[in-house]
Amino acid sequence: VDTETRLQRKYLPAAAARAALDAGLRSSTAGEARDYMVIVLSYLWFHRASTTGSLQDHDVQVTETELLVHERFRKGHSHEVTTRAIAMPRTSPGVDAACRLVEHFRTLRGKCAPQAAFYGLQGESPAALSAEFIDTTFRRGLTALSIQAPPGYSFSSHSGRAGGATAAYSIGGTLE
């Protein structure tokens, strides 16, 4: 439940993620591209906002054959840091376009240090971005697309994670 508005969170439909992908590829500023990319990659990678915000630029790699992310996240009651790599073949539906979105964002943003926040822009702090910042960015992208949750529900950055996982599960994917 979204404590700010007391609305139940809703998973993000695939059509909304696709709209964000298309808008991101047409965006003319790094800020716009980032807003849409947070939606798209949260959906593809099932990321929590804290994992999304902790990505560094060198953690995301686009190659001729795949989109690769090296992620770090805290898991369980011990909050032990866990790392894993997710490789998505460019031939998978939507992945080639997501690769182009990452490349477009990087072109608009300009070169940054490998340890800089992946979603960071020139002039912003190079530190990890907070979960609240990611959530605000996610919602700003949806607002720009005029995408609203159904009455009684709200979208948050967790909606991308839930929407991507729901879509994967519906076609036989695992949730691991």
Side-chain angles (χ1 to χ4, degrees), residues 45 47 55 59-61 67-71 84-87:
W45 292 330
H47 275 171
L55 289 174
D59 292 329
V60 180
Q61 300 165 7
L67 177 58
L68 179 66
V69 62
H70 296 275
E71 60 182 26
R84 70 176 169 194
I86 301 172

Side-chain angles (χ1 to χ4, degrees), residues 42-64:
S42 294
Y43 191 90
L44 281 179
W45 292 330
F46 317 154
H47 275 171
R48 289 181 170 88
S50 57
T51 304
T52 299
S54 69
L55 289 174
Q56 296 176 336
D57 198 61
H58 65 90
D59 292 329
V60 180
Q61 300 165 7
V62 175
T63 72
E64 289 183 21

Side-chain angles (χ1 to χ4, degrees), residues 20-103:
L21 179 58
D22 293 341
L25 289 170
R26 291 190 312 269
S27 59
S28 60
T29 69
E32 286 178 344
R34 172 178 63 188
D35 291 354
Y36 300 128
M37 194 168 60
V38 164
I39 296 167
V40 172
L41 298 183
S42 294
Y43 191 90
L44 281 179
W45 292 330
F46 317 154
H47 275 171
R48 289 181 170 88
S50 57
T51 304
T52 299
S54 69
L55 289 174
Q56 296 176 336
D57 198 61
H58 65 90
D59 292 329
V60 180
Q61 300 165 7
V62 175
T63 72
E64 289 183 21
T65 59
E66 67 187 3
L67 177 58
L68 179 66
V69 62
H70 296 275
E71 60 182 26
R72 292 170 303 288
F73 55 94
R74 298 193 181 278
K75 188 172 184 178
H77 295 292
S78 69
H79 295 287
E80 184 176 322
V81 174
T82 302
T83 61
R84 70 176 169 194
I86 301 172
M88 302 184 85
R90 285 185 90 140
T91 55
S92 296
V95 176
D96 184 63
C99 289
R100 288 183 283 128
L101 178 56
V102 170
E103 291 168 336

